[in-house]
Amino acid sequence: MVEKIITLENVPLAEFLGTANENIRQIAQAFPQSKIVSRGNEIRIQGGAPEILRINDLINLLLEHFDRFGHLTPENVKDYLDIEGIPFEEASRDQVIVFGNKGLVIKPKSPNQRKLVEAAMKNDLVFALGPAGTGKTYIAVALAVRALKNREVKRIIITRPAVEAGENLGFLPGDLQEKLDPYLRPIYDALADMVPPEKLKYYQETRVIEIAPLAYMRGRTLHDAYVLLDEAQNTTSEQIKMFLTRMGPNSKVIITGDQTQVDLPVRQKSGLSEALRILKDVKGIGIVSLSGRDVIRHKLVKAIIEAYEKTEQEKDQNRNDANSRKNNG
């Protein structure tokens, strides 16, 4: 049995430890093999050496969080403790993509989201595929914000094709920005979680963060930038080829799309599907597929996706059976 004492200095104890020491009790419940007691400004830990090291690292992360944001809630503690059951060694600082506004900790919350983060670390071009609610756009925006904060890139460029259930931009009221806002709202929402409002406004005014329709990418070379193409299933073959050839020096690109939600005209093929077929064997390109298991919205969203997937599988099976009967008849 090993004992370690952590002394809390220059920290408001009631705020850090939580009401009735709730934050510390939550840590103690996560490490039942150890004894964790808070007395005055000391946290006394007794247990095996490896686990004590893990608890010590965790408390240091929580102290850093408190120093950064000025508060520590039980939800914050849970964020650091429990990332979908990953061992704590993997759930440490390296798993956090970026610290958002008001203490929000943004990190992958499913195995495939972690695969997306890892693919983005290893490759300059990544395709993130999956249905609504799997967090592919949110994680991609978080990775771009982290790269900007770490000065790995000089700007963020976010684009998407202006195609939405048959609507035409020309028929919408307002100037270009007002026409585009409804299409880009999910991206604005993600950025609002990660960048303070004043800084976000400054970044947009100075074009450090640029949000523009895909048509505006033509003829440009996108260098020193983190580039996100969202809703890529609605690109044509010509559009996605144009976009892919915009990559410049020191650029990272993430392309997100849901191949089950194509809003192009019936006879128009999705450029995303073609690009995946052509580029699947090219080295340096990562392809990550997310599924209903990665949905992090309301639990009904996962059930809805699974129901639709089951229906599509049944339709495919019926078509195959019909073709088989026709060929055998």
Side-chain angles (χ1 to χ4, degrees), residues 47 67 88 113 132 143 200 212 218 244 247 250 306:
D67 182 61
F88 181 70
Q113 286 189 2
L143 288 166
L200 179 57
R218 188 175 298 278
L244 287 168
M247 287 184 69
N250 193 37
E306 290 173 351

Side-chain angles (χ1 to χ4, degrees), residues 50 178 273 295:
E178 291 170 330
S273 298
V295 171

Side-chain angles (χ1 to χ4, degrees), residues 47-204:
E51 191 157 281
I52 283 182
L53 288 174
R54 296 171 67 195
I55 297 169
N56 183 70
D57 288 344
L58 170 63
I59 291 174
N60 284 333
L61 281 173
L62 296 177
L63 286 168
E64 181 181 315
H65 178 101
F66 190 90
D67 182 61
R68 183 188 295 257
F69 300 109
H71 62 81
L72 182 69
T73 67
E75 290 75 20
N76 296 145
V77 176
K78 187 176 185 301
D79 279 337
Y80 286 98
L81 272 173
D82 182 21
I83 305 179
E84 298 295 323
I86 314 171
F88 181 70
E89 295 94 328
E90 299 176 35
S92 62
R93 186 193 318 268
D94 290 341
Q95 280 291 319
V96 177
I97 302 173
V98 69
F99 291 97
N101 297 328
K102 299 180 181 178
L104 181 65
V105 178
I106 298 166
K107 59 191 181 306
K109 294 185 176 181
S110 74
N112 285 327
Q113 286 189 2
R114 290 192 291 277
K115 287 181 182 178
L116 174 55
V117 173
E118 291 165 4
M121 296 297 102
K122 296 175 183 176
N123 302 282
D124 288 339
L125 172 60
V126 174
F127 288 88
L129 314 171
T134 52
K136 55 189 183 296
T137 298
Y138 196 82
I139 293 294
V141 173
L143 288 166
V145 170
R146 180 172 73 174
L148 183 65
K149 286 186 174 182
N150 291 344
R151 299 186 180 180
E152 296 167 12
V153 297
K154 294 180 180 178
R155 53 186 175 154
I156 296 172
I157 298 172
I158 303 175
T159 185
R160 62 175 288 179
V163 176
E164 198 71 32
E167 285 187 296
N168 187 303
L169 283 177
F171 297 131
L172 296 176
D175 59 21
L176 177 63
Q177 194 61 51
E178 291 170 330
K179 290 174 188 286
L180 286 171
D181 276 353
Y183 297 89
L184 299 168
R185 181 48 49 192
I187 293 168
Y188 285 119
D189 290 344
L191 286 169
D193 279 351
M194 304 172 198
V195 184
E198 302 80 11
K199 183 168 286 188
L200 179 57
K201 182 180 178 181
Y202 170 77
Y203 280 160
Q204 289 184 263

